[in-house]
Structure formats: structure tokens, C-alpha cells
Amino acid sequence: MKNTFFGAFCLSLAASIWGGMYVVSKYVLDFVPPFTLVWLRYAIAFVVLFGILKFHQYKTKTRISIRKQDWLLLGWIGFIGYFVSISLQFIGTKLSDAHTGALITSATPAFIVLFAKFVLNESVTLRKVIALLLATIGVVIVIGFDNSGGQSFWGNMMLVGAALTWALLSVYVKVASARFSTLMITTYAIWFALLFTTPVMLWELHEQPVSFPNIIVVFGILYLGIISTAGAFFLWNKGMEMMDAGIGSLFFFFQPLVGAVFGFLFLHEQITASFYLGGLLIIIGVFIAVMSPIHQHQSKEGENHARTSL
């Protein structure tokens, strides 16, 4: 029971940090271009995570050899998740607003259902289809049908792309976790993301200068690198170790909640009725998606208990 409460605390704190991340990103992006901010975030996170990884390997006296195909998988994770997804997230947040960014990307768990079918060959049940449809309709409602092609609309579209690619990342991380620890996967995937981001970051710096008008911007960058990346990733992974995966996924809902509250309080963003309606559909859809494996898990546990009793 103690581990369950501690796991719930870790998951709640991680998701809340990610929700607040959108508010910090929105402020810092006024002074630092998107790809440059992504690069700074990962440079800081890599230093922190690499130090922790090496300390852990030294303490446990363990070293895992990485094969060529493993490097390709880690590179793919770094590209699709930490480069493409996060870049779309930052650009989308800059063009849209903080609470919408937090909400749209919260549809990620439902999108995982689709990719898990093709990558992991997981079955697609009626429950999963309904969950995916509800989440998709919710995202459409939040985005709206802005035929004028305004910058908010394109920002929202990029946030949808961020949610889709992060779901794809989650599936491939599950593939890689069969051989490596989450800490090692995250550390080396971030290293690859740094490599992919560097050329774009250098081009962007040539076009858009960086300014540090106050110490708040510096603290914002440090927050994004240390707290929302290295720290939140660690807390989330630690919490998922202590709890059932289906139950743990429910704590992801702290992200849009905190994002909306912080956006309202600190950025004075308006929350419309479409936000609440679309958000409700996304939450219902994701809740349906993650509740399915819980029942299956409990059923399997019951079967195993019956066998052992016999």
C-alpha cells in the first residue's frame, strides 16, 4: 500500500510538472526560438540524465552492450519522439495557447491504441475504437474549424502532430524496454535528439536572435531542462514501476488540468465552452482506453489465483 501511494504521488507530480511546462514554454518562447529552446532543454536534460546513468552503472557494476540495431532503434526514438514531437509541441504552443496545448497532447494515450495494433500487434477492441473516436472528436472540437487558416489553427494542428508522434514514441519505447532500462533509453534517445536538432537550431539562430531580458527566462530554460524533462521523466518512470500501467496512465489527466489552471492564472488565457466540451470527450475517451487493460489485468490475476489455489 505504501508503494502504491508513493507511486501515485510520483505520477501526479510528473503530470502536473508537464502541465505547468506549457505555461513556462509559452513565456520563454517570446524570447527564445522554438528549436533553440528544444536544443537547450535537451542539452541540460542529457547532462543530468547521463550523469545519473553513469553513477547508477558505477554503483551497480553493470554495463549493457548496445548493438547496431539497438542504436538504430534508439535513434528512431530520439528522432520521432524527442525531435519531431517536442518540436511540434513547442511550435504549436507558440502559435496557440498553453491550456489548449496541454489538452490536445493529453489525447496521446488514445492514439497509442492505433499504433500498438501495427507495431506491437495488439488487438483492437470495440472499447478501444470508441475511445479513439471520442478523443479524436474532442480534439476536433478544441481545434475548431477555422477556415481562415489563422495561426492559432495551425498551432493546434501542430499540437495534434505532437500528440500522434508522442504516441508513436511510447510504442517504440515499449519495444526498446525489453532490452534496456527506461533511464538508458531516455538518455541516449535525448542524445540523438540533440544531434537532429543542432542543424535546425543553428539555422534558426541565424534567422532569429535569442534574447535574455531577465533572469526569469534563464530560470525558465533550466526548469524545462532539469524539472520538466530529466526530473519529470524520472518521476513518471518511477511511479509506473510501482503501479499497474493502466491505472498509472490515468494520472496523465493532471497535465491538462494544471495546464488550464496555470494558463488562466499566469497568462490570463480565456477558457471557452469548446475547451470544456472537447476536454470532456478526450478525458472520457482516454479513460475508456486505459480502463480496458485494467479489467483484463484483473481477470488474468483472478485466473492465476484460481490456478494456484488448485
Side-chain angles (χ1 to χ4, degrees):
M1 183 63 69
K2 183 178 179 181
N3 285 343
T4 301
F5 279 116
F6 184 68
F9 171 77
C10 290
L11 293 170
S12 302
L13 184 56
S16 298
I17 290 172
W18 287 331
M21 175 187 70
Y22 289 90
V23 177
V24 178
S25 300
K26 185 68 176 177
Y27 178 81
V28 177
L29 283 167
D30 288 335
F31 309 99
V32 182
F35 287 105
T36 304
L37 183 56
V38 171
W39 191 91
L40 289 171
R41 174 184 176 181
Y42 283 139
I44 295 170
F46 175 74
V47 171
V48 174
L49 291 172
F50 188 75
I52 295 174
L53 177 63
K54 289 303 177 184
F55 176 77
H56 176 74
Q57 289 178 342
Y58 172 78
K59 186 177 180 181
T60 58
K61 308 296 182 184
T62 57
R63 292 187 66 86
I64 300 177
S65 61
I66 303 179
R67 302 166 300 182
K68 181 179 180 180
Q69 57 266 38
D70 296 328
W71 284 117
L72 292 174
L73 179 58
L74 293 172
W76 171 247
I77 292 172
F79 175 76
I80 194 65
Y82 298 139
F83 174 57
V84 176
S85 183
I86 298 301
S87 296
L88 289 174
Q89 179 192 110
F90 272 63
I91 297 173
T93 302
K94 182 177 178 63
L95 297 177
S96 183
D97 48 52
H99 68 271
T100 303
L103 177 62
I104 292 177
T105 52
S106 72
T108 296
F111 292 135
I112 292 176
V113 173
L114 180 63
F115 295 122
K117 165 62 179 176
F118 298 102
V119 179
L120 302 175
N121 199 31
E122 292 185 359
S123 60
V124 178
T125 63
L126 179 60
R127 179 188 293 271
K128 291 180 179 180
V129 172
I130 294 174
L132 188 59
L133 286 175
L134 285 174
T136 302
I137 294 172
V139 170
V140 170
I141 291 176
V142 173
I143 293 175
F145 294 95
D146 184 2
N147 295 323
S148 62
Q151 92 171 1
S152 179
F153 170 79
W154 290 111
N156 290 340
M157 290 301 295
M158 290 186 178
L159 289 169
V160 172
L164 286 168
T165 48
W166 191 261
L168 191 60
L169 158 84
S170 302
V171 172
Y172 278 101
V173 164
K174 188 172 182 178
V175 174
S177 63
R179 177 167 169 78
F180 303 108
S181 68
T182 307
L183 176 60
M184 180 174 288
I185 295 171
T186 305
T187 301
Y188 286 113
I190 286 178
W191 167 249
F192 278 106
L194 273 176
L195 298 180
F196 293 127
T197 309
T198 299
V200 187
M201 180 268 295
L202 293 175
W203 169 82
E204 186 180 62
L205 284 178
H206 184 265
E207 299 292 328
Q208 304 178 51
V210 176
S211 62
F212 298 96
N214 53 57
I215 195 66
I216 298 178
V217 176
V218 177
F219 281 127
I221 294 172
L222 291 175
Y223 171 87
L224 292 173
I226 299 173
I227 306 299
S228 70
T229 304
F233 277 24
F234 175 80
L235 287 170
W236 184 262
N237 296 334
K238 190 66 177 176
M240 293 298 280
E241 287 180 7
M242 299 181 175
M243 303 186 69
D244 179 84
I247 298 175
S249 298
L250 295 175
F251 289 88
F252 200 82
F253 295 134
F254 279 92
Q255 176 177 316
L257 175 63
V258 175
V261 173
F262 279 20
F264 175 77
L265 293 176
F266 298 106
L267 301 179
H268 308 292
E269 296 178 351
Q270 298 299 317
I271 300 178
T272 63
S274 62
F275 175 85
Y276 290 110
L277 177 58
L280 179 62
L281 289 176
I282 291 175
I283 290 175
I284 292 174
V286 179
F287 182 78
I288 291 174
V290 298
M291 283 302 291
S292 179
I294 294 178
H295 295 310
Q296 293 174 1
H297 178 71
Q298 291 175 341
S299 178
K300 290 180 180 178
E301 281 189 340
E303 292 175 2
N304 294 333
H305 177 71
R307 291 194 186 99
T308 54
S309 298
L310 293 174

